[in-house]
Amino acid sequence: MSTPKLRAELDGIPVYKPGRPPVAAEGVPAYKLSSNENPYPPLPGVMEAVTAAMGAFNRYPDLACSQLTAELAERFDVPAGHVATGTGSVGVAQQLVQATAGTGDEVVYAWRSFEAYPIITRIGGARPVQVPLNAAEAHDLDAMADAITARTRLVFVCNPNNPTGTVVRRAALERFLDRVPADVLVVLDEAYREFSTDPDVPDGIDLYRDRPNVAVLRTFSKAYGLAGLRVGFAIAHEPVADALRKTAVPFGVSQVGQDAAVASLRAEPALLERVAGLVVERSRVVEALAAQGWTVPETQANFVWLRLGDRTEAFAAACERAGATVRPFPGEGVRITIGETEANDLLLRAAEKFRKELPSDLL
Ligand SMILES: *Cc1c(COP(=O)(O)O)cnc(C)c1O
């Protein structure tokens, strides 16, 4: 029996692997440190906005996300026509690939970086060009610039980088942008921007203003705590933003999501307080892991990366038994989200125990 013809490009595309939820076992806590989510309850005003919007979900949402777009434009001091919303920033990233790259074109990004990049590149029929991270687990921008060819249509720069937490700083990024041809779109994926406390890490929105080939991706999923509602956006010059409006799934962002995002934007003081709390916890976790003897790359995000190689899965299993689920990348390392204080304490105890039980020749 014959089956429907599917595009050959889909063969072998990896399926996106979400961070696993914790396994609940009798008497053991179950913390999820595997998806870089915000551990806190919704910001003030968000539940009220969501509850109100819920009463009208027999209606389609505002297709243009007008109110959210207007508030984002004001917040970032950009024209409303430069704001394009979508179903999470992954959705917007996929639209950017769709808008720029087709069969035979190339999309350049660092590796390891966000695992959605190879998937959305290949769905579009384009060829992924993966440029290895440097020894400090950070983007090698010179090598990335060297990897650009006449077929390159888009370059992702993930800043801070998921899953390593490392950043690219202003001078290096500006030098890189100066090298990229004007007809290649550079997408600065700033999903973790709110957690970055280093003043030398540039705000992509400053860089995009006089660079028509730069687009900035932001999300409400991480610091703002709306991962389940799927709201992200890009800030880009008119031609790119217009292309995003053309490639958007109609009505992709629910009214609940739009209203929750608006309420979250208006709760900035509470947001900053929570982010500051997580940043304090990040420092504590990084210092404690280093004191235990682990090599921890500098992180400006809400997670830390341990390059564990062959010990990755054993470490993840040990954390899971202790009650914290982390995100293993088998053979490479684990990404550990900074969670609530108790979760971080538990993680640190599990890491210490794992280290003590390791044969010393494996350290
Ligand atoms: C989490 C994440 C996103 C955004 O996810 P959405 O929930 O789709 O907004 C985008 N980029 C990176 C690097 C991420 O880690």
Side-chain angles (χ1 to χ4, degrees):
M1 222 168 28
S2 75
T3 55
K5 283 200 171 70
L6 301 175
R7 287 169 53 228
E9 287 93 336
L10 300 188
D11 292 340
I13 293 185
V15 175
Y16 190 99
K17 220 173 143 229
R20 290 209 306 123
V23 199
E26 189 76 21
V28 181
Y31 291 109
K32 187 178 180 206
L33 302 180
S34 56
S35 294
N36 298 343
E37 294 148 334
N38 190 319
Y40 299 122
L43 290 163
V46 172
M47 276 312 261
E48 291 79 357
V50 164
T51 309
M54 292 276 267
F57 62 44
N58 54 315
R59 305 292 176 192
Y60 282 104
D62 171 5
L63 178 110
C65 297
S66 321
Q67 193 188 6
L68 176 58
T69 300
E71 299 222 3
L72 288 168
E74 195 187 320
R75 162 66 51 97
F76 295 111
D77 190 24
V78 299
H82 287 201
V83 179
T85 49
T87 58
S89 55
V90 173
V92 184
Q94 178 158 11
Q95 292 173 248
L96 286 167
V97 172
Q98 241 182 334
T100 55
T103 306
D105 294 330
E106 295 171 353
V107 174
V108 174
Y109 51 86
W111 200 252
R112 183 170 275 279
S113 187
F114 187 32
E115 72 170 315
Y117 299 154
I119 298 173
I120 60 182
T121 298
R122 291 171 64 181
I123 288 173
R127 197 170 78 78
V129 176
Q130 304 190 155
V131 179
L133 296 172
N134 64 23
E137 307 278 6
H139 281 61
D140 183 343
L141 290 177
D142 287 332
M144 288 177 71
D146 291 342
I148 293 172
T149 71
R151 301 312 311 252
T152 307
R153 293 290 175 270
L154 186 151
V155 182
F156 283 110
V157 176
C158 189
N159 197 28
N161 187 48
N162 175 6
T164 59
T166 52
V167 290
V168 298
R169 294 194 164 74
R170 184 172 292 104
L173 187 54
E174 286 183 350
R175 209 163 46 238
F176 171 78
L177 293 174
D178 289 343
R179 278 190 68 190
V180 178
D183 61 357
V184 173
L185 181 67
V186 179
V187 178
L188 305 176
D189 184 345
E190 298 186 333
Y192 302 97
R193 164 78 198 160
E194 293 82 0
F195 298 105
S196 176
T197 49
D198 181 337
D200 281 340
V201 176
D203 181 331
I205 296 171
D206 294 336
L207 296 175
Y208 111 99
R209 292 186 195 276
D210 57 0
R211 294 178 191 266
N213 68 329
V214 171
V216 182
L217 276 182
R218 298 276 182 94
T219 180
F220 284 95
S221 295
K222 308 287 162 52
Y224 284 96
L226 301 183
L229 290 180
R230 316 304 307 128
V231 192
F233 60 97
I235 293 183
H237 289 266
E238 212 91 22
V240 175
D242 284 346
L244 287 173
R245 282 182 275 275
K246 288 181 189 165
T247 51
V249 172
F251 306 109
V253 184
S254 72
Q255 199 62 49
V256 173
Q258 295 181 35
D259 292 358
V262 167
S264 300
L265 276 177
R266 293 176 181 173
E268 185 155 45
L271 171 84
L272 295 177
E273 199 178 302
R274 288 170 191 200
V275 165
L278 287 169
V279 166
V280 169
E281 278 294 288
R282 173 178 78 199
S283 305
R284 185 175 76 87
V285 169
V286 166
E287 283 162 25
L289 287 171
Q292 289 175 16
W294 302 100
T295 302
V296 192
E298 188 210 354
T299 174
Q300 290 287 325
N302 65 336
F303 51 84
V304 298
W305 169 251
L306 297 179
R307 189 167 284 281
L308 299 175
D310 294 344
R311 292 171 287 147
T312 296
E313 283 158 294
F315 180 91
C319 292
E320 179 125 32
R321 281 195 300 278
T325 305
V326 299
R327 174 71 162 88
F329 296 86
E332 291 181 64
V334 291
R335 188 192 67 201
I336 305 164
T337 304
I338 303 299
E340 47 279 70
T341 304
E342 317 83 75
N344 303 332
D345 284 341
L346 186 149
L347 182 280
L348 289 172
R349 283 196 301 276
E352 189 173 31
K353 180 161 176 279
F354 185 84
R355 220 181 150 80
K356 285 203 175 119
E357 290 169 1
L358 267 188
S360 59
D361 60 319
L362 280 180
L363 286 176

